[in-house]
Amino acid sequence: MNLSRKALTVCLLGSVSISSLGAGLSAQAQDSDSVRTLQSVVVTTQKAQESVQDVPIAVSAFDDEAIERLQLTGGPDLTKAVPNVSFTKGQFTGFNLKIRGIGVDVVATSGDAGVGIHQNDVPLQSNRLFESEFFDTERVEVLRGPQGTLYGRNATGGVFNLITAKPVFGEYQADAALTYGNYNTIKAKGMANIPFGDRVALRVAGSLTQRDGYVENLVTGNDVDDRDLWSVRATLGFEPTESFRGWLLYEHFEEEDARLRSGKQLCKKDPLDTNFAGIPIAFEDQIYTSQGCLSAPFSESRDTVNSVATLAGGLAVRAGLLNGDAFTAPAIQDLRTIAAGFDPFYQAEQDLWTLNLSWDVTDTLEFTSLTSRNETSVISVEDVSKVEPTITFNDFSSIPPGINPSIDLYNALFPGGVVNDPQIGPSNLYTVADPSGATSEAFTQELRLQSDFDGPFNFNVGAIYMDYEAGNSDVIDGYYFVSNALTGLLQLHNASLAQGGPPAIPGVPFPASLDTSNVDGDTNILNSLNGLGRNYFRTVSPYELQSTALFGETYYDLTDDLTFTLGLRYTKDEKSQKNIPTYLFTPDAVRPDPTAPVPSPATEAELDGTVDGIFEVEFEEVTGRAGVDWSPNFSFTDDTLLYGFYSRGYKGGGINPPQPAENANAFPNTFEPEFINAYEVGTKNLFAEGTQQLNLTGFYYDYTDYQITQVINRASVNFNVDAELYGLEVEYLWSPADNWLLTANLGLLETELVDVFAIDVLDRTASNPDFVVIKNAANYSNCVVSAQGYATVLGAIAAGQLAPGSTAGLCLGNFAGQEAAFGLGNVSYMDGDGATRAVGALTPFDGVNKDLRGNNLPGAPDTTLNLAAEYTWSALGNSDWKLTVRGDYYYQADSFSRIWNVGRDQIDSWENFNLSLVLANTESGLQIEAFAKNLFDEEVITGAYLQDDSPGLYSNAFLTEPALYGVTISKSW
């Protein structure tokens, strides 16, 4: 196992992973016959160096040349090159990379991704794949299907593995590239390889991206969603003896700009009802009739949210700050134009250390140690609505003092209708911001022993340990909901109590402190948070994970061309999370330190039995895979591989966010682990004298307890569903002549939910006219009551038997059990599961569930297609220059953003065209490239996140990049 002086990259790869099926191949001209044959990328997906065509699992691999040729700038571009892959941004500084419909539809600090993200085979629980760009890369591998045996934790959907370029011994090398494009884009990349003798070398690489914003903010006049990010990586390679070698890597990533974390709000406004069943509704009751937004396709959802239906906007009306909806002007229709009160701020950092050591114990046994430490942080601050209010806070300064004590108090607190919010600053406009951030630290250690015997038997065994912490150390951790309306209400509440008056916040008899850490009146929210204020909403879940696994695979050659593989993995995940309920408006007397864990005897008795405010769960599972691969000699192919495998996959369960302070049983405290039984068959073929390649893969998944999230009371809560998935993948390459390369990738996918029944928060009545949806006056979630009961209460108000505003008590249960007094009884209905149920006519409940059987999983388009053509003019004018033109086409079919699959959930199909023109001189190492991405400037929604009842049920849409074009000049030495 001696190290090649020219290829330390491949030989020092350490703890790699489980399998592959070729997609990123290079084509190479041969002799004077002008026949170009296809050559496959070398991968290490089974922790051994193999051609991608010889690995019996579906994998797409792209070397550095293919990454440049296909314009794969970063993680989001993988969708355009790999079948059955989708990618979208997430709501909380994250992303969702999906393979065959499996990704991360769970939103929780203790949740895990379904696609493992690895760098140099190190599992990265937190990473910056979404923000960073590829540079100085040896290759990218995308493994499709469960990969848990060798690859590590939570790879039920597959694995993304970025292999960085490693030092080369005995040779000086360098390269540099500079790009200029539209939006004033400037990119710079470079690498220097410096040898120190024949056994030590240092490789240093870096990348810089700066550009103007894609989005115009009409309020500030600035372009936002810009980029300013950079990375640097240093790798020290060493081989002190013929049998011992290794490398030490340090990488730093940093970004600070005005990136938009979440897209523009999409909403079909739900206006206030003025009458019901012919009964007029007083304004005091109208304010509980809107959901904010109605369920509608995105093409019909170009309004603003009705702010009266939101927690901050609704409380502002009740406090007298507003008289109705703050957003009455028509919404801006352009998805790349916003009217935010302030520009967004985005900052992310990552520091990654990796040490790989390999020792040839014997000529046939190699021992590998892979150690890593990863530290990340990210914070994003945005204007939630991205819409400029059309009405200001009420100004009662014209009313002389002494007439109304309540008005006098209001004018004293809010002179001229200006609320002096210590986070947002002084303003008379309704404003909401939602800082979202996270910090994490991770340590991993993997040990592995691998054989290379001449006989029929070989093995690969090892162990891995991970220690991970998140949300434990910084004020930026968690999700905030900051509004000057909430602050104004608390200021009014505290002042009223101080004067001996009634509380302004119902049910809160004591004052609560404001976060006044910033008293200079500026609008920098980040320097004005201490995380302890009761004038904003904050959810934070400090989390720790200790994961230990033992794994191994054996390979037995039954014949010269038939191999049996058996792999097993034992995993133990220990998760703990501090129980910190949200503390908006919570009096200091009730919780002096709002970030201290709060014991929950009933819950903790079910979990670990220790009542200390720390929820602890443990999961232990044995998983694995078994199958055969056969390499027959067919007369009609040059090389063929046939394989079939069964895999059992597992992804750990977790702990839901803390319960809201006003409802300790709003949702389950934990969610279950996922399990997948996967069956896969495939074939890889090279034929027509090495000029064509055809790879086919078919798969069937039986999925149990897939993790899905839904926002409840401003927290993302997770539950489990069962599903079945099946599909087909076709990857084809053809070089019809020495100057042509044609490729086609097709992914077909069907996903179906099994025995799933759930309430749709967009349609809580399931369109049953016997029920209505109204607001909860305390927390601004929604509830369902019978239409008969609602009309009866409205009639009593109209008749003067009840006071205006009495419908506020319906969701609070104030009328529950009083049906007989109003001459009412029970109302029957049929749930989606076919069960007949009855509820009191005045008794609130969550809603009528729907039958979701047969619905699709989110983010699972049934078709993805990539077509590409590349033509090269070699030896232009008998020189060393060659010219290559390449065009790429990508199509993704319709998909859904939620499991309810209603019109609002549909993500329309979309297309993308890329074009490049490359003039290269192989002798001098000089290259000039002109490129265009998204050539026809398609405005594509890739995903959407539905907010819960209290912000008004709007959706944040996530977009692809607009048309990008530019020129890159590069030089290698």
Side-chain angles (χ1 to χ4, degrees):
M1 297 186 182
N2 291 332
L3 183 68
S4 166
R5 293 292 182 270
K6 300 288 186 180
L8 183 64
T9 326
V10 172
C11 298
L12 294 181
L13 279 176
S15 164
V16 244
S17 308
I18 206 169
S19 303
S20 314
L21 186 152
L25 299 190
S26 58
Q28 183 176 22
Q30 298 298 302
D31 50 31
S32 57
D33 293 334
S34 293
V35 176
R36 187 158 106 166
T37 60
L38 301 171
Q39 292 192 333
S40 64
V41 176
V42 173
V43 297
T44 51
T45 52
Q46 293 189 128
K47 305 197 176 184
Q49 190 179 159
E50 299 173 276
S51 163
V52 71
Q53 285 297 99
D54 295 333
V55 179
I57 292 183
V59 61
S60 300
F62 308 93
D63 60 17
D64 188 55
E65 179 183 347
I67 289 171
E68 296 297 328
R69 192 174 68 241
L70 274 64
Q71 300 189 56
L72 303 181
T73 304
D77 288 327
L78 293 172
T79 57
K80 305 179 186 71
V82 184
N84 280 331
V85 168
S86 65
F87 192 108
T88 186
K89 291 192 290 185
Q91 176 71 6
F92 304 103
T93 67
F95 62 89
N96 195 353
L97 173 63
K98 286 199 161 192
I99 299 177
R100 297 175 176 173
I102 304 302
V104 54
D105 289 309
V106 61
V107 179
T109 307
S110 64
D112 301 303
V115 174
I117 305 299
H118 293 240
Q119 179 169 316
N120 293 316
D121 314 308
V122 172
L124 300 177
Q125 186 80 356
S126 295
N127 58 84
R128 305 269 65 87
L129 174 65
F130 157 57
E131 296 99 335
S132 60
E133 298 186 353
F134 300 147
F135 70 101
D136 198 33
T137 302
E138 180 190 330
R139 68 181 180 278
V140 168
E141 301 172 356
V142 180
L143 287 71
R144 306 191 295 279
Q147 309 294 332
T149 307
L150 296 182
Y151 248 110
R153 311 184 61 254
N154 306 313
T156 49
V159 167
F160 165 89
N161 192 19
L162 172 67
I163 307 298
T164 62
K166 305 302 186 304
V168 176
F169 294 162
E171 181 176 311
Y172 287 95
Q173 295 180 351
D175 62 49
L178 183 64
T179 299
Y180 183 78
N182 59 334
Y183 296 98
N184 286 320
T185 298
I186 297 176
K187 294 187 178 184
K189 296 181 181 181
M191 176 277 297
N193 185 88
I194 306 170
F196 299 94
D198 292 334
R199 294 190 176 272
V200 178
L202 176 67
R203 189 181 187 99
V204 179
S207 173
L208 169 72
T209 296
Q210 295 178 331
R211 65 162 173 77
D212 295 341
Y214 296 149
V215 175
E216 181 183 5
N217 186 356
L218 297 180
V219 174
T220 65
N222 297 326
D223 290 334
V224 299
D225 203 18
D226 61 344
R227 296 293 183 271
D228 189 352
L229 53 92
W230 59 275
S231 299
V232 64
R233 180 191 307 133
T235 310
L236 180 68
F238 49 89
E239 187 183 24
T241 70
E242 292 297 322
S243 61
F244 181 71
R245 57 203 166 272
W247 49 263
L248 174 65
L249 177 149
Y250 169 72
E251 180 172 313
H252 177 79
F253 166 82
E254 189 167 323
E255 175 179 0
E256 185 172 326
D257 47 39
R259 181 195 289 264
L260 278 171
R261 178 184 81 247
S262 56
K264 192 170 183 177
Q265 285 185 2
L266 298 181
C267 175
K268 182 177 177 61
K269 189 187 288 282
D270 184 13
L272 300 180
D273 293 337
T274 57
N275 68 84
F276 181 79
I279 305 170
I281 304 176
F283 180 75
E284 294 89 339
D285 295 288
Q286 291 179 23
I287 60 178
Y288 305 117
T289 62
S290 172
Q291 298 184 75
C293 302
L294 297 172
S295 181
F298 291 144
S299 60
E300 302 173 14
S301 300
R302 300 300 174 92
D303 301 327
T304 57
V305 65
N306 188 337
S307 69
V308 178
T310 69
L311 175 69
L315 291 177
V317 171
R318 291 167 61 187
L321 287 165
L322 292 171
N323 292 328
D325 184 9
F327 308 117
T328 58
I332 302 168
Q333 299 301 298
D334 183 9
L335 293 180
R336 298 195 192 274
T337 302
I338 63 174
F342 57 90
D343 292 333
F345 175 80
Y346 194 96
Q347 185 179 57
E349 288 190 49
Q350 179 175 14
D351 289 287
L352 175 64
W353 295 262
T354 307
L355 175 64
N356 181 298
L357 301 174
S358 296
W359 174 41
D360 296 336
V361 182
T362 69
D363 289 341
T364 57
L365 287 176
E366 182 181 20
F367 177 79
T368 301
S369 169
L370 184 63
T371 309
S372 78
R373 179 171 178 80
N374 185 33
E375 297 179 358
T376 71
S377 68
V378 60
I379 179 65
S380 167
V381 184
E382 295 185 350
D383 182 328
V384 170
S385 64
K386 303 177 182 66
V387 177
E388 188 174 23
T390 48
I391 61 174
T392 62
F393 289 139
N394 288 320
D395 179 6
F396 299 125
S397 58
S398 61
I399 300 177
I403 297 177
N404 186 325
S406 297
I407 295 296
D408 292 345
L409 179 60
Y410 183 98
N411 285 333
L413 292 171
F414 315 124
V418 174
V419 175
N420 189 10
D421 186 291
Q423 280 70 53
I424 293 173
S427 176
N428 67 344
L429 293 175
Y430 169 70
T431 305
V432 180
D434 66 339
S436 179
T439 60
S440 70
E441 297 180 0
F443 168 82
T444 67
Q445 176 62 60
E446 182 173 353
L447 302 174
R448 182 169 49 86
L449 183 65
Q450 181 177 352
S451 71
D452 187 19
F453 300 140
D454 292 332
F457 175 77
N458 276 286
F459 65 84
N460 193 336
V461 297
I464 186 171
Y465 171 76
M466 172 182 285
D467 189 317
Y468 175 80
E469 296 183 3
N472 279 316
S473 59
D474 204 297
V475 68
I476 70 172
D477 285 311
Y479 177 75
Y480 291 80
F481 190 84
V482 181
S483 173
N484 52 7
L486 299 177
T487 294
L489 178 59
L490 186 55
Q491 290 170 335
L492 191 63
H493 173 80
N494 291 344
S496 179
L497 291 178
Q499 292 183 358
I505 304 173
V508 181
F510 305 109
S513 61
L514 281 71
D515 180 350
T516 57
S517 54
N518 174 30
V519 294
D520 58 6
D522 70 10
T523 57
N524 187 334
I525 293 176
L526 282 183
N527 74 7
S528 62
L529 287 173
N530 62 19
L532 306 176
R534 321 305 170 97
N535 57 311
Y536 45 67
F537 168 88
R538 184 192 185 192
T539 177
V540 60
S541 303
Y543 167 68
E544 295 184 7
L545 163 71
Q546 287 80 41
S547 179
T548 306
L550 304 175
F551 61 86
E553 281 196 343
T554 59
Y555 315 97
Y556 189 79
D557 295 333
L558 301 174
T559 67
D560 289 343
D561 54 17
L562 182 64
T563 300
F564 172 74
T565 299
L566 175 65
L568 290 174
R569 182 183 187 90
Y570 164 78
T571 303
K572 181 178 181 180
D573 290 333
E574 299 173 278
K575 299 184 175 184
S576 65
Q577 179 175 296
K578 293 179 181 179
N579 180 43
I580 304 177
T582 58
Y583 42 90
L584 174 65
F585 300 151
T586 301
D588 297 50
V590 176
R591 286 172 62 188
D593 180 2
T595 61
V598 176
S600 178
T603 299
E604 294 181 76
E606 294 180 3
L607 299 179
D608 62 314
T610 302
V611 181
D612 56 3
I614 301 176
F615 294 171
E616 297 182 2
V617 292
E618 182 178 302
F619 306 97
E620 288 185 83
E621 295 297 336
V622 175
T623 57
R625 71 171 187 137
V628 295
D629 60 274
W630 180 37
S631 302
N633 290 317
F634 290 143
S635 60
F636 52 87
T637 67
D638 303 325
D639 190 31
T640 292
L641 175 69
L642 300 168
Y643 62 90
F645 277 84
Y646 162 77
S647 300
R648 171 74 167 174
Y650 149 82
K651 188 176 86 167
I655 306 162
N656 273 320
Q659 302 283 352
E662 69 274 7
N663 185 358
N665 298 295
F667 44 78
N669 290 295
T670 62
F671 51 93
E672 297 299 315
E674 295 180 359
F675 295 95
I676 178 175
N677 291 308
Y679 306 85
E680 182 170 316
V681 294
T683 178
K684 303 183 180 185
N685 304 275
L686 192 65
F687 54 97
E689 297 183 347
T691 63
Q692 297 186 54
Q693 176 188 297
L694 177 64
N695 296 340
L696 304 173
T697 310
F699 58 91
Y700 170 79
Y701 292 172
D702 181 3
Y703 223 109
T704 304
D705 289 329
Y706 186 72
Q707 296 159 359
I708 296 284
T709 193
Q710 179 167 311
V711 181
I712 300 176
N713 289 337
R714 302 173 301 282
S716 289
V717 180
N718 306 283
F719 58 99
N720 301 87
V721 300
D722 296 340
E724 293 180 354
L725 303 86
Y726 55 93
L728 175 71
E729 292 155 356
V730 181
E731 296 171 289
Y732 177 70
L733 292 92
W734 180 31
S735 179
D738 64 346
N739 52 355
W740 277 103
L741 178 62
L742 307 176
T743 66
N745 295 324
L746 174 66
L748 302 176
L749 177 66
E750 292 292 333
T751 66
E752 295 182 0
L753 297 180
V754 178
D755 295 332
V756 177
F757 309 91
I759 296 170
D760 182 1
V761 295
L762 280 170
D763 182 18
R764 288 183 177 271
T765 67
S767 301
N768 187 329
D770 294 334
F771 298 96
V772 295
V773 177
I774 57 175
K775 271 294 172 192
N776 183 312
N779 58 26
Y780 277 73
S781 62
N782 296 332
C783 81
V784 173
V785 296
S786 74
Q788 182 185 28
Y790 183 56
T792 299
V793 172
L794 288 176
I797 295 172
Q801 298 169 343
L802 292 173
S806 292
T807 56
L810 282 169
C811 281
L812 299 176
N814 293 352
F815 295 94
Q818 300 183 39
E819 284 82 4
F822 288 86
L824 302 171
N826 289 336
V827 178
S828 297
Y829 66 96
M830 182 176 291
D831 250 337
D833 57 7
T836 299
R837 308 183 191 279
V839 64
L842 294 174
T843 300
F845 65 110
D846 289 336
V848 181
N849 68 35
K850 292 183 176 181
D851 183 357
L852 305 185
R853 290 176 295 183
N855 283 10
N856 291 344
L857 283 173
D862 60 22
T863 305
T864 61
L865 174 66
N866 167 253
L867 301 173
E870 181 180 304
Y871 186 85
T872 300
W873 290 270
S874 300
L876 292 175
N878 295 320
S879 69
D880 294 328
W881 291 91
K882 65 178 181 179
L883 180 66
T884 300
V885 60
R886 180 183 176 91
D888 289 86
Y889 167 78
Y890 175 74
Y891 168 80
Q892 185 177 116
D894 294 348
S895 61
F896 295 95
S897 62
R898 299 189 311 146
I899 60 174
W900 282 268
N901 290 188
V902 297
R904 174 265 165 217
D905 301 332
Q906 182 169 317
I907 306 295
D908 289 339
S909 64
W910 56 281
E911 299 172 302
N912 182 87
F913 292 86
N914 291 347
L915 187 65
S916 65
L917 190 68
V918 179
L919 182 64
N921 188 310
T922 54
E923 291 298 318
S924 66
L926 182 63
Q927 178 174 293
I928 303 171
E929 177 185 13
F931 64 88
K933 299 179 67 174
N934 189 9
L935 183 64
F936 299 109
D937 199 20
E938 297 288 336
E939 193 171 68
V940 174
I941 296 177
T942 60
Y945 186 87
L946 177 67
Q947 288 287 356
D948 79 310
D949 302 330
S950 62
L953 292 172
Y954 65 83
S955 298
N956 281 125
F958 308 113
L959 308 179
T960 58
E961 295 179 315
L964 301 177
Y965 48 85
V967 175
T968 299
I969 300 176
S970 59
K971 177 74 169 69
S972 61
W973 294 269

